[in-house]
Amino acid sequence: PAWQFGRPVRFTHEIATGLAARGYQVNVGTTSCGAPAEANTDVMTRVVDGVTVSYCPWSRRLFGLMSPVMQDVARHCSTQAAVAHVTGVWRPSGKRVYTDLNARKVPYVISLWGDLSQYSFHRGRLKQSFIFYLLERGVANRAAALDATAPL
């Protein structure tokens, strides 16, 4: 895992390994950004502490990191999933992932990590507000649960 990105990576790792230790099959799709497989141009799949992790190639785009391959990995995983956990909003790759989860009626939980806090909206206020009302509000409203680590 890309430990240098801190708490979100640690939290996701703890949730995934805790579920795996209880006998659940857990698949994690993530970018290879900051991971040992960062330079790979193909998906690299490893088992980390009982969790199947697919590290997907990525590129930096106008609105952040983008990984079309990760969207494909998420689509495949959603065909077998009972529930999905998504870390954060404001991710360009997320729209197709949420569309697939909704189409398959797979409930999802979003960990927001302060993404909807006042701080977040004050950084690039116009852009964040536009994207939120255009895309993210519907995603958040359809979530089975929101895990908020900062005031909304």
Side-chain angles (χ1 to χ4, degrees), residues 62-145:
L62 178 63
F63 292 110
L65 298 181
M66 187 71 170
S67 178
V69 176
M70 188 172 71
Q71 294 171 342
D72 295 336
V73 167
R75 174 176 282 159
H76 173 73
C77 289
S78 73
T79 63
Q80 306 166 24
V83 66
H85 174 252
V86 183
T87 300
V89 293
W90 313 122
R91 310 299 187 264
S93 302
K95 182 169 176 25
R96 198 169 103 196
V97 171
Y98 293 120
T99 300
D100 290 342
L101 292 171
N102 287 323
R104 289 179 172 80
K105 298 187 179 1
V106 176
Y108 57 88
V109 176
I110 302 172
S111 291
L112 297 172
W113 298 108
D115 287 347
L116 297 181
S117 69
Q118 289 300 317
Y119 171 78
S120 180
F121 276 95
H122 286 345
R123 295 179 56 222
R125 183 181 195 101
L126 185 59
K127 180 181 89 170
Q128 297 292 72
S129 295
F130 175 75
I131 292 171
F132 178 74
Y133 285 105
L134 184 66
L135 301 173
E136 304 295 352
R137 183 173 59 171
V139 166
N141 285 337
R142 286 188 293 278

Side-chain angles (χ1 to χ4, degrees), residues 13-36:
H13 177 77
E14 289 174 1
I15 288 174
T17 56
L19 289 168
R22 289 170 179 78
Y24 293 96
Q25 179 183 345
V26 181
N27 296 292
V28 172
T30 187
T31 67
S32 58
C33 181

